[in-house]
Amino acid sequence: MTRRQLLQLLLAAPALRCASQEDVARVARLTARPAKPAKSGAVGKVVPLGLGNGARDGVVYAAPDADRVSRPLLVLLHGASGSGARILARTQSQIAMPGVVIVAPDSRGITWNVAHASVGPDVRFIDDALRSIFDRYPIDRARICVAGHSDGASYALTLGITNGDLFRQVMAFSPGFLAVEAPSFVKPRIFLAHGREDEILSFESSGHHIATTLERSGYDVTFRPFHGGHALKPEIVREAIAWWTRAGILFPS
């Protein structure tokens, strides 16, 4: 099954009571939740996530803000053949708002498992990454967003819709599909951008179709078509961050 054929929208009520660990991982359910940190995380510099045992790992960046009691969290997911360090380097100047903690994990393989109709190993690693972040930084549970580009955008949508009680916002840049088996009762707000001339994932059959389907399923979707191809454009990323901040999510009055 190709990525273009994997548009699976099963937006029915979740049935996870008595689910096994394997079932929870299969449907992309995350169990980590914010708690009082046991230690102090690095601020103002990019550091390794520290979970990859010398192989694929990820990076963390906490933007300085001495007055912030609790911090918003952005989980940033790379595209196929990418890495957390690479996508953070490309976007840091657009997304590093004061006080924000950004965690950019690496997929277990060349891309996220959901591209091959399996979500288990990556779900477990992201769950571990979140536990590590919650152990280092005071995170505001109302301001946790998952974002990604390309395969990372597809995975961000899948994780966000499945875990709407954790991720209240999702930012998806040029996604190709969804693979949702058990959506959360809580529906996250979604910002979705896609290039009209995308040469990898068709605008009509991917971004536009996903946005339309989600809107019809009752999700609050901000859809931003743009002229261009399969690119992560800085101006679109800045617009998405502005969308995140406008409703007082990052900087409440």
Side-chain angles (χ1 to χ4, degrees):
M1 183 177 291
T2 67
R3 286 180 293 167
R4 290 185 177 88
Q5 295 170 330
L6 193 59
L7 184 61
Q8 299 174 5
L9 278 174
L10 304 178
L11 299 177
L16 293 179
R17 297 184 188 87
C18 302
S20 69
Q21 239 182 353
E22 289 76 16
D23 289 335
V24 169
R26 179 180 59 79
V27 299
R29 245 336 246 177
L30 297 166
T31 59
R33 292 296 183 271
K36 185 177 180 180
K39 59 190 77 169
S40 182
V43 175
K45 60 182 179 179
V46 178
V47 297
L49 182 55
L51 300 176
N53 297 320
R56 290 182 65 78
D57 183 33
V59 292
V60 180
Y61 175 77
D65 189 342
D67 297 328
R68 190 166 292 275
V69 175
S70 62
R71 294 170 173 270
L73 173 64
L74 178 64
V75 179
L76 183 62
L77 305 179
H78 62 77
S81 76
S83 70
R86 194 181 309 168
I87 192 170
L88 178 60
R90 290 175 62 191
T91 60
Q92 186 173 347
S93 63
Q94 295 102 53
I95 64 178
M97 307 297 287
V100 174
V101 175
I102 304 162
V103 57
D106 295 340
S107 60
R108 300 301 78 211
I110 194 170
T111 192
W112 305 100
N113 291 122
V114 73
H116 308 294
S118 170
V119 294
D122 285 322
V123 168
R124 288 189 287 270
F125 187 75
I126 290 173
D127 223 3
D128 288 342
L130 286 169
R131 287 191 189 91
S132 176
I133 295 301
F134 297 151
D135 196 44
R136 302 184 214 178
Y137 302 96
I139 300 300
D140 186 338
R141 65 179 60 244
R143 298 181 290 170
I144 302 176
C145 176
V146 61
H149 176 240
S150 191
D151 275 5
S154 300
Y155 205 41
L157 285 167
T158 298
L159 288 178
I161 291 170
T162 305
N163 299 276
D165 53 329
L166 176 65
F167 299 117
R168 302 301 177 86
Q169 303 86 31
V170 179
M171 296 188 290
F173 306 98
S174 304
F177 56 86
L178 292 168
V180 178
E181 291 192 40
S184 168
F185 286 113
V186 180
K187 294 184 175 181
R189 297 169 59 247
I190 296 169
F191 180 98
L192 197 157
H194 209 106
R196 294 185 181 277
E197 294 78 42
D198 194 317
E199 69 284 7
I200 305 237
L201 296 169
S202 160
F203 172 81
E204 288 296 334
S205 63
S206 295
H208 184 263
H209 182 47
I210 292 170
T212 300
T213 305
L214 289 173
E215 287 173 345
R216 288 174 179 168
S217 299
Y219 288 84
D220 179 353
V221 180
T222 297
F223 183 44
R224 175 64 164 88
F226 62 89
H227 288 293
H230 196 69
L232 191 58
K233 289 193 168 187
E235 62 270 27
I236 302 299
V237 176
R238 283 192 292 269
E239 184 176 336
I241 293 296
W243 165 87
W244 191 17
T245 61
R246 257 198 308 270
I249 294 165
L250 287 184
F251 306 103
S253 57

